[in-house]
Amino acid sequence: MERRSTESIRVQSLSQSGISRVPPQFIQPLHTRPIPNNPSDSTTHNVPIIDLFGFDPNHRNSSRDSIARACHQWGAFYVTNHCVPVTLLDDIRRVGLTFFNDCSMPVKLRYACNSSAAATEGYGSRMLVSSDDQNDGVQVLDWRDYFDHHTLPISRRNPNNWPDFPSDYRKTVANYSDEMNVLAKKLLALISESLGLKPSCIEDCVGEFYQNITMSYYPPCPEPELTLGLQSHSDMGAITLLIQDDVSGLQVVNNSDGGWVTVKPVSDAVLVILADQTEIITNGKYRSCEHRAITNPDRARFSVATFHDPAKTAKISPASDLINELSPAKYQDVVYGDYVLSWYTKGPEGKRNLDALVLES
């Protein structure tokens, strides 16, 4: 597959060039820079690790109760014994890293996405661009390259748009997509049940999944104290399933104290991240997870995020079973396509797009 390159400079190339200072467009404003040695970043505040016991019905109550606590405090949690083959987790990491580390730049640029359009499929660096409003609206870039795959519905899935090196790349991504789709539905059922709703409630509200798989590559950065690999945001869809390598860098907000906590990698686990539409559907009983990625000077970091979103035409609103006189709706109804447009037009900046939907009490 041939594509015209729409960007010639990638963060990986900058890192490999041996620069000692990051270019100014990557320097975060003072109020968003990571804080070294954050006291909230400790072993006692890591996100929960929940054993799903292979979805054994005898353990369903235990898993559901643990998920309820994690959704309330964090909006994120690891799951183990999730029925996704560990070999497939290893394979998706392997083929992704092979593309970033072993393909030449001319080959990578054959798959370059259109950086001027939102969420286009392919290889890029400018998915999220924030504006530093305190510095005349200057755009700030993330220290990251990525490859985004459109994987569901099947009508969107065209493996010819994906790399063919290594030889099992396309098959691995397709298999991974299918496994993540099944896992996402099972998890949303448990999350629904944990609120006393019927298992299919959240999935019914979301409708058919629109799934994207984004591989992110965060190269070593000469000035990690000035940059972010990925700016602070909450995901705009329903649920995100993420795996990573053994390099720390993902940070989430602890809802208990508002502090940033570094998520320790767990190789065989899948990290579950609640997204904005789930917060709306649960009427704020469970909050979407604000997160970001920091960089480091010594090692590259790699992650695979699988996003499960509603159709652009879907209208999202709080679940009717959660609304009554004592618990009125807290969010305006929203057409998902309008929400996406706002998210990309204004930029995420934490959770400001979701906050704009909150009704006055």
Side-chain angles (χ1 to χ4, degrees):
M1 187 208 72
E2 295 288 337
R3 288 187 185 174
R4 179 177 60 85
S5 170
T6 57
E7 293 179 47
S8 58
I9 298 177
R10 291 293 188 266
V11 177
Q12 187 175 11
S13 296
L14 287 173
S15 178
Q16 291 174 340
S17 71
I19 59 173
S20 59
R21 305 291 297 272
V22 297
Q25 64 266 34
F26 292 94
I27 297 177
Q28 292 286 325
L30 285 171
H31 65 282
T32 61
R33 293 178 191 174
I35 301 173
N37 301 318
N38 187 338
S40 292
D41 179 12
S42 67
T43 56
T44 58
H45 288 92
N46 200 23
V47 298
I49 301 176
I50 298 173
D51 191 338
L52 296 177
F53 298 99
F55 294 96
D56 182 343
N58 294 323
H59 293 278
R60 192 170 184 85
N61 289 346
S62 172
S63 298
R64 184 178 59 224
D65 292 345
S66 296
I67 285 174
R69 289 190 294 271
C71 288
H72 178 73
Q73 182 176 358
W74 295 93
F77 52 93
Y78 275 119
V79 291
T80 60
N81 291 313
H82 40 62
C83 296
V84 180
V86 172
T87 54
L88 183 57
L89 304 185
D90 293 337
D91 284 344
I92 194 78
R93 283 185 284 245
R94 172 181 56 79
V95 299
L97 281 170
T98 298
F99 172 78
F100 284 102
N101 288 331
D102 296 346
C103 288
S104 66
M105 186 56 66
V107 170
K108 292 176 187 173
L109 290 175
R110 293 177 190 171
Y111 301 94
C113 62
N114 180 1
S115 64
S116 64
T120 55
E121 187 171 33
Y123 174 55
S125 296
R126 291 170 56 92
M127 181 175 286
L128 300 181
V129 180
S130 62
S131 292
D132 177 8
D133 295 332
Q134 298 181 13
N135 191 22
D136 298 325
V138 174
Q139 290 187 330
V140 183
L141 303 181
D142 294 328
W143 190 261
R144 177 186 78 133
D145 296 331
Y146 65 86
F147 199 112
D148 190 39
H149 312 73
H150 294 177
T151 45
L152 288 176
I154 292 296
S155 59
R156 298 173 70 234
R157 183 189 293 182
N158 184 358
N160 290 327
N161 291 337
W162 312 338
D164 57 3
F165 178 80
S167 60
D168 61 339
Y169 186 107
R170 294 172 178 176
K171 179 180 179 181
T172 299
V173 172
N175 290 343
Y176 188 78
S177 163
D178 295 340
E179 291 284 350
M180 290 293 109
N181 181 46
V182 172
L183 179 58
K185 291 180 177 181
K186 290 180 176 179
L187 287 165
L188 286 181
L190 283 168
I191 293 168
S192 294
E193 287 181 19
S194 74
L195 289 169
L197 303 169
K198 64 179 182 179
S200 65
C201 180
I202 297 177
E203 184 182 346
D204 290 345
C205 292
V206 172
E208 183 179 26
F209 280 153
Y210 278 66
Q211 182 197 69
N212 285 13
I213 296 177
T214 302
M215 298 178 180
S216 294
Y217 185 87
Y218 303 90
C221 179
E223 295 181 293
E225 70 280 2
L226 300 181
T227 60
L228 287 173
L230 191 61
Q231 65 187 272
S232 170
H233 69 287
S234 56
D235 294 337
M236 55 188 166
I239 190 170
T240 303
L241 305 179
L242 181 136
I243 64 171
Q244 44 189 338
D245 59 13
D246 63 349
V247 180
S248 295
L250 176 67
Q251 293 188 325
V252 301
V253 169
N254 183 344
N255 290 335
S256 297
D257 60 17
W260 287 105
V261 177
T262 301
V263 178
K264 294 172 176 56
V266 181
S267 62
D268 295 347
V270 175
L271 184 68
V272 182
I273 300 175
L274 298 191
D276 291 347
Q277 307 314 303
T278 295
E279 178 170 333
I280 294 172
I281 293 166
T282 65
N283 203 36
K285 293 183 182 298
Y286 295 156
R287 301 201 63 197
S288 57
C289 175
E290 186 175 350
H291 54 286
R292 68 183 183 183
I294 59 175
T295 61
N296 73 74
D298 304 313
R299 299 181 65 189
R301 176 175 170 263
F302 180 76
S303 69
V304 183
T306 307
F307 302 95
H308 299 87
D309 302 342
K312 295 286 182 64
T313 55
K315 187 175 183 179
I316 305 299
S317 59
S320 58
D321 287 347
L322 295 176
I323 305 303
N324 54 53
E325 290 184 4
L326 297 178
S327 179
K330 296 180 179 178
Y331 301 87
Q332 302 175 38
D333 297 355
V334 65
V335 174
Y336 184 62
D338 295 340
Y339 190 84
V340 172
L341 180 62
S342 172
W343 202 89
Y344 277 108
T345 302
K346 299 178 181 177
E349 289 197 19
K351 298 178 66 170
R352 72 173 179 180
N353 292 290
L354 183 59
D355 292 341
L357 298 178
V358 175
L359 296 168
E360 293 184 7
S361 56

